[in-house]
Amino acid sequence: MDPPNLLLFLLLMFASTINAQFPATYCGSTGNLTANSTYQTTLTTLVSSISTTNSSSLSYGFFNASAAISGASQTLYLFGLCRGDFTAMSCRACLNVLASDMRRLCPLQKEALLYTGNCIIRYSDASFFGVVVTRPSYLASTTDNVSSPDKYDAAMRKLLNSLLAEAARGGSLRKYASGNESVGPDMIYALVQCTPDLTEQQCSDCLVVGVQEIRGCCVRYTGGRFMVPSCLILYETNHRFFDPVSEPPPLPPPPPSQERDAMPPPPGEVVDEISTAESPQFDFSIIRAATDNFSDSRKLGQGGFGVVYMGRLSNGQEIAVKRLSQNSSQGEVEFKNEFMLLAKLQHRNLVRLLGFCLEGVERLLIYEFVPNSSLDQFIFDPLKRANLNWDTHCKIIMGVARGMLYLHEDSRLRIIHRDLKASNVLLDSEMNPKISDFGMARLFELDQTRAMTNRIVGTFGYMAPEYAMHGTFSVKSDVFSFGVLVLEIVSGQRNTFFHMGDDTEVLISYVWKNWKEGSLSNIINPSLTSGSSNEIARCIHIGLLCVQENMISRPTMASVLLMLNNDSVTLQVPSRPAFYIHSGVESSMPSMQDYNLSVSEVEESRSNSNQFSKNEASVTELYPR
């Protein structure tokens, strides 16, 4: 029996022991949607993403996604919670079954909630992340009575209270605990779980309600379950129905001899915050030896932050070391920002932070070494890009999309990168992409959609118009940068001014014009001879959807990944891109270099014409490592 069918068999078997009827369905009370409306189309796309996502959150027993409803100032939110001991495959199968039931049982409702014995699925156009919800509730029990109800109740209370505290202390990826307690000749097995978006106190509050409900309805029976949108409690007697939970492997610590001896750090807020983070601290002498005393021969790059060096530890492990320049005005803030974010993030398409070093005025970040340098070194080099076939191009695009989706929706935080570009995408030995350089990233609340800043940071050419002109940024500004990156990968051209005959073009404008005229061969890098023309054309189409001027019209990264993964998803017709420039631009326009520089700081002051000038921006070329 294949795994998904085996899972369904086990779900039905376990459900029958509890004498339950599944799915338990609640179709909401906020009204109906219109058939074939954008609301329904968005919902269908969102639900379908369960089947196609490679989200690492499924390995922790949950799935969440959101999508803006085209043409409306609404966002749809979808959340799924599986038992914490489920594998990613089992969680996906359980949620897919519920999703199918939801479409059948709540076909035209604006919100819905369904329970099975082992997972929950929920959607609404009102954000429910970070909110404790204990209604509607689901209670079920077996029909077999326990022999000593009082003793059983005392043992159950002891077990659930200990599990409650353990689950509530869980991290923002999994709040789950399971265990057992003996009562005479019998053994009680139980698990408790909260949605991972809750705080410790919120999780505890939800489970306290559950313990009270379980004791009131079910404790005289040999098995029972309590399920509400924010938490669940399951128990059985003499049947261990859950599996041990295995955590993803942690970041490898440095060898014991390289860990810093305990000593007080230098004063200062940045040092204090970083020193308390859970990441290995390296001794400065170890890093100095690994980089040959920061030799120029070990230099990988230099930017506004400082210099990046290649190093080799005494055990042979290769590392990349970012060394903060002592005269960098923004560097200390960016150093703290990058460390505090990356210390909390783990994904195969993000560069891995190994640790840090603080020694007097020295500030060092230590990363995994990525041997193939950055993406820009390949796609803009005629010789190197000729060695990349379409499958490799496609793998890079998909990997960056997965990394960005993780930052926006699937990590324990919601991160806006703000400087996604080819030079900040590193390539490992197998050409897998890893997004780097989080010094300019911003942390959002889970239900926050946008923010504004007086300081514009990033790279002209990759900046969304609402950010470059008004300082407004959101996940959609990252989507814009991703779209530019896709068009650069396919065309092999930077998104800068370049000459085509007597005309001056910007890549986005050039792609748009040729796409409208059906002249795709003018867009595609000539070295891409092995790829499917349909796949390449689809990537161009998706890239243009991402760089639309109206940010509401741009897809989310969840939708982008769905469109990349599923050829059956119909693509909308893109509107005119941002920064569209007609041919024949005056020669007084800035050079291509002006639009491909990293901006460390741009103040709110503008010239009378509301245009950026060279004098308004402090610019430095940033390197990714």
Side-chain angles (χ1 to χ4, degrees), residues 36-94:
N36 300 318
S37 63
T38 55
Y39 194 113
Q40 187 176 48
T41 301
T42 304
L43 176 60
T44 300
T45 302
L46 204 59
V47 171
S48 298
S49 65
I50 297 173
S51 299
T52 59
T53 184
N54 290 314
S55 169
S56 59
S57 68
L58 288 171
S59 301
Y60 292 91
F62 75 96
F63 173 83
N64 67 295
S66 61
I69 301 172
S70 179
S73 57
Q74 287 178 293
T75 301
L76 270 178
Y77 301 90
L78 176 71
F79 187 86
L81 180 69
C82 302
R83 269 175 32 192
D85 62 324
F86 271 27
T87 64
M89 179 182 293
S90 299
C91 183
R92 189 195 307 275
C94 191

Side-chain angles (χ1 to χ4, degrees), residues 2-317:
D2 62 274
N5 288 333
L6 176 61
L7 172 68
L8 293 179
F9 172 74
L10 293 175
L11 292 178
L12 292 172
M13 182 178 72
F14 184 50
S16 65
T17 66
I18 299 293
N19 191 30
Q21 295 296 319
F22 291 117
T25 308
Y26 302 88
C27 292
S29 57
T30 59
N32 292 347
L33 56 88
T34 304
N36 300 318
S37 63
T38 55
Y39 194 113
Q40 187 176 48
T41 301
T42 304
L43 176 60
T44 300
T45 302
L46 204 59
V47 171
S48 298
S49 65
I50 297 173
S51 299
T52 59
T53 184
N54 290 314
S55 169
S56 59
S57 68
L58 288 171
S59 301
Y60 292 91
F62 75 96
F63 173 83
N64 67 295
S66 61
I69 301 172
S70 179
S73 57
Q74 287 178 293
T75 301
L76 270 178
Y77 301 90
L78 176 71
F79 187 86
L81 180 69
C82 302
R83 269 175 32 192
D85 62 324
F86 271 27
T87 64
M89 179 182 293
S90 299
C91 183
R92 189 195 307 275
C94 191
L95 292 178
N96 274 332
V97 171
L98 267 190
S100 177
D101 288 333
M102 186 171 63
R103 286 189 288 262
R104 175 173 53 85
L105 297 171
C106 304
L108 294 176
Q109 277 70 33
K110 287 191 173 181
E111 64 178 18
L113 169 69
L114 273 71
Y115 299 123
T116 66
N118 297 291
C119 63
I120 301 169
I121 195 168
R122 180 185 185 194
Y123 76 85
S124 174
D125 58 3
S127 176
F128 40 70
F129 298 121
V131 179
V132 179
V133 181
T134 58
R135 290 291 181 270
S137 64
Y138 183 83
L139 285 165
S141 70
T142 62
T143 56
D144 297 328
N145 292 313
V146 299
S147 56
S148 303
D150 291 341
K151 292 182 179 179
Y152 198 92
D153 182 39
M156 174 70 78
R157 187 169 63 251
K158 177 183 177 183
L159 174 59
L160 292 183
N161 284 341
S162 66
L163 295 179
L164 182 156
E166 181 183 345
R169 289 194 301 268
S172 55
L173 288 176
R174 180 155 48 204
K175 285 182 166 61
Y176 169 86
S178 60
N180 55 273
E181 183 71 26
S182 62
V183 51
D186 296 322
M187 185 69 73
I188 307 172
Y189 295 92
L191 68 80
V192 304
Q193 186 173 5
C194 295
T195 59
D197 56 303
L198 300 184
T199 65
E200 179 177 348
Q201 186 61 53
Q202 288 175 320
C203 177
S204 179
D205 292 344
C206 187
L207 290 174
V208 165
V209 173
V211 171
Q212 294 170 344
E213 295 278 0
I214 282 284
R215 292 185 63 212
C217 89
C218 311
V219 79
R220 61 185 179 274
Y221 299 108
T222 57
R225 63 166 44 90
F226 161 83
M227 304 181 83
V228 295
S230 293
C231 65
L232 58 87
I233 299 175
L234 314 177
Y235 80 91
E236 288 248 328
T237 306
N238 297 329
H239 172 218
R240 188 174 70 83
F241 58 91
F242 49 81
D243 293 320
V245 172
S246 59
E247 296 290 340
L251 294 176
S257 61
Q258 295 167 356
E259 293 195 22
R260 183 177 176 85
D261 296 329
M263 59 185 300
E269 177 186 355
V270 173
V271 174
D272 290 341
E273 290 192 43
I274 290 178
S275 296
T276 58
E278 297 179 1
S279 191
Q281 187 169 2
F282 287 77
D283 191 279
F284 181 72
S285 62
I286 296 296
I287 303 303
R288 182 167 54 193
T291 58
D292 292 340
N293 196 23
F294 304 100
S295 167
D296 285 344
S297 64
R298 295 296 189 101
K299 188 183 293 188
L300 296 173
Q302 183 169 357
F305 179 99
V307 182
V308 184
Y309 299 89
M310 183 267 186
R312 182 174 286 105
L313 300 175
S314 58
N315 65 353
Q317 181 183 5

Side-chain angles (χ1 to χ4, degrees), residues 207-426:
L207 290 174
V208 165
V209 173
V211 171
Q212 294 170 344
E213 295 278 0
I214 282 284
R215 292 185 63 212
C217 89
C218 311
V219 79
R220 61 185 179 274
Y221 299 108
T222 57
R225 63 166 44 90
F226 161 83
M227 304 181 83
V228 295
S230 293
C231 65
L232 58 87
I233 299 175
L234 314 177
Y235 80 91
E236 288 248 328
T237 306
N238 297 329
H239 172 218
R240 188 174 70 83
F241 58 91
F242 49 81
D243 293 320
V245 172
S246 59
E247 296 290 340
L251 294 176
S257 61
Q258 295 167 356
E259 293 195 22
R260 183 177 176 85
D261 296 329
M263 59 185 300
E269 177 186 355
V270 173
V271 174
D272 290 341
E273 290 192 43
I274 290 178
S275 296
T276 58
E278 297 179 1
S279 191
Q281 187 169 2
F282 287 77
D283 191 279
F284 181 72
S285 62
I286 296 296
I287 303 303
R288 182 167 54 193
T291 58
D292 292 340
N293 196 23
F294 304 100
S295 167
D296 285 344
S297 64
R298 295 296 189 101
K299 188 183 293 188
L300 296 173
Q302 183 169 357
F305 179 99
V307 182
V308 184
Y309 299 89
M310 183 267 186
R312 182 174 286 105
L313 300 175
S314 58
N315 65 353
Q317 181 183 5
E318 293 182 325
I319 56 174
V321 180
K322 257 189 177 184
R323 188 186 193 190
L324 173 62
S325 173
Q326 295 177 19
N327 58 6
S328 173
S329 59
Q330 276 296 106
E332 182 125 344
V333 176
E334 293 174 9
F335 174 87
K336 169 192 167 184
N337 197 46
E338 181 151 5
F339 177 84
M340 298 305 288
L341 290 179
L342 279 179
K344 297 178 175 69
L345 301 175
Q346 292 185 47
H347 191 274
R348 62 179 175 173
N349 295 120
L350 303 185
V351 67
R352 185 155 51 98
L353 180 70
L354 302 179
F356 68 100
C357 175
L358 302 172
E359 178 81 19
V361 296
E362 293 285 354
R363 305 285 186 268
L364 308 175
L365 292 176
I366 294 89
Y367 299 90
E368 64 175 324
F369 177 71
V370 184
N372 274 326
S373 189
S374 52
L375 178 60
D376 63 321
Q377 302 296 311
F378 282 84
I379 60 174
F380 303 135
D381 185 312
L383 296 178
K384 288 185 178 180
R385 73 183 179 214
N387 296 322
L388 301 183
N389 58 26
W390 172 244
D391 288 342
T392 303
H393 282 74
C394 207
K395 179 168 72 171
I396 292 169
I397 292 172
M398 294 290 290
V400 174
R402 292 191 186 102
M404 294 305 297
L405 177 61
Y406 172 78
L407 293 176
H408 288 179
E409 298 185 18
D410 294 338
S411 73
R412 66 181 78 178
L413 309 169
R414 173 170 284 186
I415 305 296
I416 311 300
H417 190 281
R418 293 206 296 173
D419 199 24
L420 179 65
K421 57 182 178 180
S423 61
N424 283 340
V425 175
L426 308 183

